[in-house]
Amino acid sequence: MTTAMPRHAAALMVLALSAGCAAPNGTKPGRVGLGDPYTVDPQIAWSRFRRGNIETWTADGPALQALYFIKGIRKGAPLEAAARDQRQRPLFSPEMTPHEIMEFTLDSLAHAGYTQLQAHNLRPADFGRLPGFRFEPDFLYRDGLEGRGSLRAQ
């Protein structure tokens, strides 16, 4: 994949990992809007948390699994959830290629304290009805527990 992402690049990323969050709101099965034009149709109830432009969903608790819906990363902005240190944070550009967005994500996770980060299987994948891409990051949490994620982006 060497083509640049469209100008609306990373309008929404979905990253499945785990992390701590704020107080939850619930959602029931059925179509849920995430902001025009995106919707999700969960088949089970989820707890929902919002922090900046990131909405986190978990069914069994964020220590076991979580979905992160990241909408509208602005040019020159960091991946907000990963921005614990204000110095030298990775910054987003809408001109990034899928490979560069993968590196941006790994750098952001490293900045948030995850270690031994590796990404696998970068490939095209539709994002709803739009073209997008996906990859799987592997990592260690701060406590040494192994983790694996799956990211889809458009």
Side-chain angles (χ1 to χ4, degrees), residues 121-132:
N121 207 9
L122 176 63
R123 63 205 181 274
D126 288 342
F127 197 90
R129 289 175 270 165
L130 301 172

Side-chain angles (χ1 to χ4, degrees), residues 11-153:
L12 185 72
M13 275 195 216
V14 179
L15 178 61
L17 299 175
S18 70
C21 298
N25 292 317
T27 188
K28 296 177 181 174
R31 191 161 305 279
V32 177
L34 294 173
D36 194 38
Y38 304 103
T39 62
V40 177
D41 190 5
Q43 303 302 302
I44 62 170
W46 290 77
S47 293
R48 297 168 65 178
F49 311 83
R50 178 172 286 294
R51 182 173 151 194
N53 65 336
I54 299 175
E55 185 167 325
T56 305
W57 289 26
T58 183
D60 299 313
L64 296 176
Q65 98 292 88
L67 294 172
Y68 296 91
F69 298 96
I70 307 164
K71 185 175 181 191
I73 304 172
R74 293 183 321 268
K75 183 176 184 175
L79 187 63
E80 303 262 338
R84 70 180 177 147
D85 183 349
Q86 298 298 315
R87 295 167 291 165
Q88 299 181 357
R89 297 183 294 177
L91 304 177
F92 177 76
S93 170
E95 290 81 26
M96 288 179 168
T97 65
H99 186 268
E100 291 169 329
I101 291 174
M102 181 177 72
E103 292 299 321
F104 165 75
T105 303
L106 293 180
D107 291 347
S108 296
L109 291 171
H111 206 268
Y114 296 87
T115 61
Q116 296 188 19
L117 288 147
Q118 296 180 345
H120 308 279
N121 207 9
L122 176 63
R123 63 205 181 274
D126 288 342
F127 197 90
R129 289 175 270 165
L130 301 172
F133 62 94
R134 69 179 297 173
F135 64 90
E136 287 80 36
D138 294 332
F139 51 89
L140 289 181
Y141 292 101
R142 287 180 213 113
D143 62 4
L145 184 65
E146 292 182 7
R148 174 164 284 172
S150 179
L151 182 136
R152 282 188 177 240

